[in-house]
Amino acid sequence: MTDARTETLDAAASDPVAIGWMTGFPPPADKAITYADGSFRAFPQSRWSWSHVRQIVPTVNVWRGEGSASPLPRAETDLGPVAVTTMDGRTISFAAALAETYADGIVVLHRGKLVYERYFGALKPHIPHIGMSVTKSFTGTLAGILVADGLIDPAAPVTHYVPELAAGGFGDATVGEVMDMTTGLAYSEIYTDPSSDIFALRRANGMAPPLPGTPQLPLLDYLTTIGKQGEHGRVFAYKTVNTDVLAWILRRASGQSLSELLSTRIWQPMGAEEDAYYHVDRLGIESGGGGLNTTTRDLARFGEVMRNRGAFNGRQIFPEGVADAIARGGDPDKFAPAGYATLPGWSYRSQWWVSHNAHGAYMARGVFGQALYIDPKAEMVIARYASHPVAGNVANDPVSLPAYMAVARHLMG
């Protein structure tokens, strides 16, 4: 793989504040970032965009409620000098690892206390950043909650909840297969190929302009066009359309929008500090597979909810079994054929990535370096937002995964 660091502006040179993106009233043409021309997705413009999605596309709020924010007691320590040995054998500091992977914000919790917090570029503590596919893990957790409530049956066919999908590839899939992404679908997710289906999904969910002269289907209509390829239930294959179908199941089973469901079942009871928001399609429907924007602290709070098996802010927010099932993971044999070189022995369960390592770590992952890393043995949570120039996490993992483990060992020591 080509090393992007040798070909692309580094974190300091691509700093959006130093460059001056979107400054002035209005900003000059050479510093403007817009939706219509797609510049918001280009690097280094994305170093500003991913902290300002609400200024680019339509969104819907996730209300934090009227109560006070839950406390995050501080016991700060400088983790920057912690030594990290990368997957290619280099020794660097944790601070250098953050710079190499274009971190925008990071919060580290240890035993529920905030021990490290840093922001870079355009991000600030009160500003939400897009989570990309970290969003999926929220959707999967909400699905687990509705399963525990008896509102969703994982063994039921998808069409029991969303009959519109009967004619397409999801027509004979079960809810559980969608939750664990073991569906066999004719759908490609190659972030470097504009002809890949992920680009069509982005047009449907509102994160890319429609093709010129082509009427754009809204999200549900687009999902009905996905065909079947292979058998359901055999192997894991990472395809975002699964999560968007799962989000439709949640809406139908609960009678609530995804934003209302997240607000009432997680965001309000955990005592979020700020409202979150989703980007939406042309009908105002949230992107359940990649559209959630939160502050870094609130992402860490959610991680602490998971680490404490659904308990936080003085209450049991959802049943322990929801978090326990996720932490146990799925079947590594079904995961292995996907060929993730940086994730040997991992599995996928309910929209979460599970390491099966000695610490029992599991995580939410999103393109361009978004991460929520939960280490039960180290009693640690790391929430990290980023704007890496390369979408796939193969560009982050060789540095970020060893960095998380190095911090865990340091805190345990």
Side-chain angles (χ1 to χ4, degrees):
M1 187 187 80
T2 300
D3 189 342
R5 289 173 296 151
T6 66
E7 297 184 340
T8 308
L9 296 175
D10 65 15
S14 64
D15 184 292
V17 176
I19 292 175
W21 295 118
M22 296 295 282
T23 56
F25 308 99
D30 65 338
K31 294 295 188 289
I33 298 173
T34 70
Y35 174 77
D37 66 4
S39 60
F40 75 100
R41 280 195 168 277
F43 181 87
Q45 292 94 320
S46 57
R47 299 217 60 207
W48 180 90
S49 304
W50 301 151
S51 298
H52 296 87
V53 168
R54 177 157 270 175
Q55 290 174 239
I56 299 167
V57 296
T59 63
V60 64
N61 232 39
V62 176
W63 186 41
R64 61 167 298 277
E66 296 177 339
S68 300
S70 57
L72 287 178
R74 289 182 176 266
E76 295 191 49
T77 184
D78 186 7
L79 298 176
V82 170
V84 175
T85 301
T86 66
M87 289 184 185
D88 62 0
R90 294 179 299 121
T91 299
I92 61 174
S93 68
F94 183 58
L98 295 177
E100 279 198 17
T101 54
Y102 297 81
D104 294 327
I106 187 161
V107 169
V108 180
L109 305 181
H110 184 228
R111 297 174 179 167
K113 295 181 179 179
L114 197 159
V115 297
Y116 190 75
E117 181 177 26
R118 297 289 188 276
Y119 295 93
F120 311 94
L123 195 59
K124 296 179 181 179
H126 65 284
I127 293 179
H129 189 290
I130 190 165
M132 303 295 181
S133 290
V134 165
T135 306
K136 292 178 171 67
S137 298
F138 284 87
T139 305
T141 304
L142 289 170
I145 293 170
L146 294 194
V147 169
D149 286 351
L151 294 177
I152 290 177
D153 177 4
V158 167
T159 52
H160 177 73
Y161 304 95
V162 191
E164 296 95 325
L165 296 169
F170 290 98
D172 59 346
T174 67
V175 175
E177 290 163 344
V178 167
M179 288 175 68
D180 295 340
M181 290 208 196
T182 58
T183 50
L185 302 171
Y187 172 91
S188 62
E189 191 141 339
I190 304 170
Y191 304 109
T192 56
D193 180 3
S195 66
S196 175
D197 295 310
I198 185 63
F199 286 82
L201 176 61
R202 287 171 178 167
R203 291 191 291 271
N205 68 25
M207 273 297 275
L211 295 174
T214 304
Q216 181 57 59
L217 295 174
L219 185 53
L220 180 57
D221 289 355
Y222 171 72
L223 295 173
T224 67
T225 71
I226 304 301
K228 187 177 180 182
Q229 186 178 68
E231 295 182 45
H232 298 314
R234 293 180 64 86
V235 296
F236 164 78
Y238 185 79
K239 299 181 178 183
T240 296
V241 287
N242 284 292
T243 322
D244 281 310
V245 165
L246 183 59
W248 277 99
I249 293 169
L250 300 185
R251 296 180 186 102
R252 297 286 175 83
S254 69
Q256 293 181 289
S257 68
L258 198 60
S259 50
E260 293 168 333
L261 194 59
L262 178 57
S263 173
T264 57
R265 301 308 298 265
I266 295 177
W267 224 238
Q268 293 187 51
M270 84 171 187
E273 191 171 338
E274 304 285 347
D275 289 352
Y277 64 86
Y278 286 93
H279 75 70
V280 297
D281 76 354
R282 290 153 187 81
L283 297 178
I285 301 298
E286 310 95 338
S287 168
L292 183 63
N293 298 251
T294 81
T295 65
T296 318
R297 286 180 193 159
D298 283 337
L299 182 61
R301 282 182 170 90
F302 176 58
E304 191 68 3
V305 173
M306 295 298 296
R307 187 184 74 81
N308 286 295
R309 303 170 65 211
F312 187 65
N313 197 26
R315 64 192 294 186
Q316 190 72 40
I317 295 172
F318 52 77
E320 293 177 350
V322 174
D324 291 347
I326 289 166
R328 282 196 301 272
D331 184 346
D333 289 337
K334 289 185 177 181
F335 183 88
Y340 289 92
T342 58
L343 306 177
W346 287 53
S347 72
Y348 195 80
R349 178 71 181 270
S350 297
Q351 310 286 311
W352 289 82
W353 305 77
V354 183
S355 75
H356 301 282
N357 68 10
H359 287 201
Y362 61 101
M363 66 184 301
R365 293 160 57 86
V367 289
F368 305 109
Q370 324 317 322
L372 177 60
Y373 186 89
I374 300 161
D375 185 325
K377 184 175 182 179
E379 302 171 277
M380 179 191 78
V381 168
I382 297 180
R384 176 183 182 275
Y385 282 130
S387 48
H388 199 286
V390 178
N393 274 311
V394 68
N396 274 279
D397 289 345
V399 175
S400 60
L401 293 181
Y404 303 153
M405 182 59 79
V407 169
R409 289 172 176 152
H410 176 83
L411 293 174
M412 292 172 70

